[in-house]
């Protein structure tokens, strides 16, 4: 995530499901953003889905466990708790168990790794340092839910690659 080159310039890139939380230091996040910046065309967009910053302050907003069912079976997911973070980093213990409805054996997967949450202000500063402007910040996959809304449970950022040709930077609406 910190050392890659794209074969050409893209108009849109995305990093979803809190995958960027594996970037444990600001230096790693900066390196990641520099690579993404180089992979985008001027005014290209980068969408990030991250843990809501309130999760780091003992104010949980997202579910840590849930089940989903369909005709093929049931999937149960249990996730680690970001509120246990020290300096933004916590040890995530994620467990998935799929139970097929046909009676065949259940499949279980467990993953443990350190993850990091970031505040909005940290990310705004990192984005600016790497040539991005925050175009929008949301608290869910719903444009009506701002980052500071009581219903917010994610931090979704749309970062715009600022043109390097001296073009003007637009105001950053963050809701």
């Amino acid at each position: 995530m910190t050392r890659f080159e794209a074969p050409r310039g893209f108009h849109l890139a995305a990093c979803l499901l809190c995958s960027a939380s594996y970037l444990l230091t600001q230096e790693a996040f900066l390196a990641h953003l520099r690579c993404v910046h180089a992979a985008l065309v001027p005014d290209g967009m980068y969408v990030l889905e991250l843990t809501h910053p309130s999760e780091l302050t003992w104010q949980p907003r997202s579910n840590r466990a849930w089940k989903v069912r369909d005709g093929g079976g049931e999937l149960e997911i249990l996730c680690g708790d970001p509120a246990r973070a020290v300096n933004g980093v916590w040890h995530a213990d994620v467990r998935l168990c799929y139970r097929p409805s046909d009676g065949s054996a259940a499949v279980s997967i467990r993953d443990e790794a350190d993850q990091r949450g970031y505040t909005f202000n940290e990310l705004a500063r990192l984005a600016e340092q790497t040539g991005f402007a925050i175009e929008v910040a949301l608290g869910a996959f719903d444009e009506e839910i701002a980052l500071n809304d009581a219903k917010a449970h994610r931090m979704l950022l749309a970062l715009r690659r600022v043109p390097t040709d001296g073009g003007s930077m637009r105001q950053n609406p963050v809701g």
Side-chain angles (χ1 to χ4, degrees):
M1 291 181 74
T2 60
R3 288 181 283 151
F4 65 88
E5 292 181 29
R8 61 184 174 87
F10 292 91
H11 293 272
L12 176 66
C15 187
L16 304 175
L17 300 170
C18 297
S19 297
S21 69
Y22 293 101
L23 300 167
L24 299 180
T25 65
Q26 288 187 6
E27 293 77 21
F29 214 105
L30 283 167
H32 172 70
L33 288 175
R34 285 185 192 107
C35 289
V36 174
H37 186 275
L40 293 173
V41 299
D43 278 330
M45 298 296 293
Y46 182 43
V47 177
L48 277 164
E49 177 193 5
L50 299 160
T51 301
H52 193 279
S54 68
E55 297 277 349
L56 303 173
T57 61
W58 295 91
Q59 299 173 17
R61 293 190 178 210
S62 59
N63 292 330
R64 297 279 154 240
W66 64 95
K67 292 181 184 182
V68 292
R69 290 182 180 94
D70 69 8
E74 174 185 84
L75 176 65
E76 181 177 19
I77 302 169
L78 305 168
C79 295
D81 188 357
R84 299 176 191 259
V86 175
N87 296 323
V89 178
W90 70 93
H91 187 74
D93 182 0
V94 179
R95 299 167 192 229
L96 293 92
C97 183
Y98 178 71
R99 295 173 193 90
S101 57
D102 67 4
S104 56
V107 177
S108 294
I109 300 171
R110 180 178 182 186
D111 183 47
E112 293 186 70
D114 287 341
Q115 295 184 325
R116 166 119 193 246
Y118 289 86
T119 68
F120 174 80
N121 289 338
E122 279 181 295
L123 291 174
R125 187 175 40 76
L126 297 174
E128 184 178 344
Q129 288 178 20
T130 53
F132 283 102
I134 296 176
E135 197 66 23
V136 72
L138 298 173
F141 282 102
D142 181 335
E143 65 187 41
E144 301 297 319
I145 299 178
L147 185 58
N148 60 356
D149 190 294
K151 294 182 218 165
H153 62 277
R154 310 302 292 152
M155 180 165 46
L156 288 135
L157 302 176
L159 307 179
R160 182 178 48 81
R161 181 177 183 234
V162 177
T164 55
D165 61 3
S168 64
M169 187 185 278
R170 292 180 284 203
Q171 185 66 27
N172 300 328
V174 296

